[in-house]
Amino acid sequence: MKTIFLHGLFSAFLAGLAALIYNTVYSRAFESDFSAIINPFGIFASSIFGCMIASVGYYFFARRIKTHTDVWFNAIFLLLTFATLISVFSLTLPFTIKTPELFIGLSVPMHFFPILFWLSTKPLFNYNKPIRK
Amino acid sequence: MKNKITSFPVVIFATLIFSAFSFVHSLDWKIKEGYQIKFSSETQTGVLNSLSGKIQFDENNLPVSKFDMVVDAASINTGNGMKNTHAKGADFLDVAQYPNITFTSTSISKTEIGYSATGKLKIRGIEKEITIPFTFTNNTFAGSFTVNRLDYGVGSTEGMTGKASKELKIDISVPVTK
């Protein structure tokens, strides 16, 4: 369990860092300012939240599904990631933000960073052995 | 002495001309930053961010006062990128074909609570007469009125656009300076 949470924290940190860099590059490239909605603290907090949910989810999922655990878990994680995009498309920003059209391009990739780093760092954390009850 | 006598009518004439110009000039107001055009209904809210035009207003000379306003339709902001694209599209404001929303007053009169401007409001190429009640305090024009989008061919009653409210409340606040 400890390894799963470490994996979650590590991937959250990388996802947060990537999102922070992406936010900076995107804001400069498009001269957009979404600082009223997205700030570094929020980026890291949501990354940690997403990856911790994944960790807890994986822990309980692995206790129930003994075969093809990763296949099923990854599919559900991906599905839920796609589901979170609904919030991006339906979000109404403050009218002070002149270009809400650019918000989608900023936030959609960020929603995929947690699963991206979760999957890419998984080989570093060897917890695929059966979990004892 | 003779020179003084002959120049006297010229001075009077010039004074009259310049005072007439200054009188006309005193009607003009410039739109200051910080103006707001908000629209709201049960289903949608938003703002229009670009306003320009000519304001001639004198509380003591309403017959010569006039509003000639232009709003950039593409400046619509609902706070949602997808809704903005839809609002600017052919189904709604069709900003590619009708880039401006205009209001030209034909008469301004005094009312109990302030003033009212009657004129032609043109949206999406369709012009209708409308009366806009407004106040003028602290060098700020403020008014509120309702528009039925269907009167101007904005959207329809069918499909997705049919779900949008037909009546839109418009709130305007325009600070001005001389």
Side-chain angles (χ1 to χ4, degrees):
Chain A
M1 184 173 176
K2 189 181 166 187
T3 321
I4 297 172
F5 279 107
L6 273 176
H7 175 211
L9 267 180
F10 187 62
S11 49
F13 173 74
L14 291 179
L17 195 65
L20 208 61
I21 293 166
Y22 180 68
N23 182 37
T24 307
V25 171
Y26 189 92
S27 298
R28 284 182 187 172
F30 291 99
E31 293 177 342
S32 58
D33 180 16
F34 294 104
S35 56
I37 307 156
I38 295 178
N39 56 55
F41 176 78
I43 286 173
F44 271 100
S46 52
S47 296
I48 290 167
F49 178 76
C51 288
M52 284 297 104
I53 289 284
S55 296
V56 174
Y58 188 91
Y59 175 74
F60 287 108
F61 195 81
R63 287 165 70 107
R64 294 244 176 211
I65 311 293
K66 304 289 182 192
T67 54
H68 305 298
T69 310
D70 278 8
V71 175
W72 287 107
F73 177 79
N74 292 346
I76 290 167
F77 194 3
L78 188 63
L79 203 68
L80 290 174
T81 300
F82 270 107
T84 62
L85 298 184
I86 294 168
S87 66
V88 176
F89 286 102
S90 61
L91 189 67
T92 298
L93 306 180
F95 298 137
T96 48
I97 291 171
K98 306 284 183 198
T99 52
E101 291 86 352
L102 294 175
F103 185 69
I104 292 168
L106 173 68
S107 54
V108 166
M110 285 184 182
H111 277 237
F112 284 96
F113 287 160
I115 190 170
L116 184 72
F117 285 100
W118 172 275
L119 293 176
S120 57
T121 57
K122 180 128 195 319
L124 300 175
F125 299 85
N126 184 27
Y127 56 79
N128 259 358
K129 55 195 174 190
I131 296 167
R132 279 183 247 155
K133 283 190 179 176
Chain B
M1 184 68 185
K2 192 183 174 185
N3 274 349
K4 280 184 181 174
I5 290 168
T6 52
S7 63
F8 187 69
V10 175
V11 171
I12 295 290
F13 181 73
T15 308
L16 281 172
I17 292 290
F18 283 119
S19 63
F21 273 118
S22 67
F23 173 70
V24 170
H25 179 73
S26 69
L27 286 175
D28 292 332
W29 294 87
K30 287 176 193 165
I31 298 168
K32 273 171 72 177
E33 282 298 313
Y35 56 81
Q36 288 184 326
I37 307 170
K38 289 182 183 172
F39 60 90
S40 57
S41 71
E42 285 177 8
T43 55
Q44 64 262 41
T45 55
V47 292
L48 287 147
N49 283 318
S50 175
L51 173 72
S52 59
K54 195 174 178 184
I55 297 174
Q56 291 179 311
F57 185 75
D58 184 348
E59 289 169 284
N60 301 315
N61 197 358
L62 294 177
V64 294
S65 299
K66 190 174 182 180
F67 295 112
D68 199 355
M69 312 305 295
V70 180
V71 175
D72 180 7
S75 71
I76 190 168
N77 185 5
T78 62
N80 182 288
M82 289 176 77
K83 284 182 185 172
N84 282 0
T85 307
H86 188 229
K88 292 174 195 173
D91 285 349
F92 257 74
L93 291 172
D94 196 2
V95 299
Q97 204 170 344
Y98 308 103
N100 293 328
I101 296 168
T102 61
F103 175 74
T104 307
S105 70
T106 50
S107 69
I108 297 171
S109 56
K110 187 115 176 80
T111 63
E112 279 183 12
I113 55 158
Y115 308 91
S116 72
T118 301
K120 304 280 187 188
L121 178 64
K122 194 175 186 180
I123 305 173
R124 214 178 185 269
I126 296 173
E127 199 173 67
K128 299 261 180 191
E129 190 169 272
I130 190 168
T131 298
I132 301 173
F134 68 93
T135 57
F136 183 65
T137 47
N138 299 326
N139 285 357
T140 301
F141 291 97
S144 189
F145 59 102
T146 304
V147 167
N148 187 326
R149 63 179 177 83
L150 297 178
D151 289 346
Y152 298 90
V154 178
S156 67
T157 54
E158 294 167 357
M160 287 296 283
T161 61
K163 290 179 182 174
S165 295
K166 290 155 199 70
E167 298 281 338
L168 292 169
K169 185 171 178 272
I170 317 284
D171 295 301
I172 300 174
S173 173
V174 183
V176 290
T177 184
K178 282 284 187 185

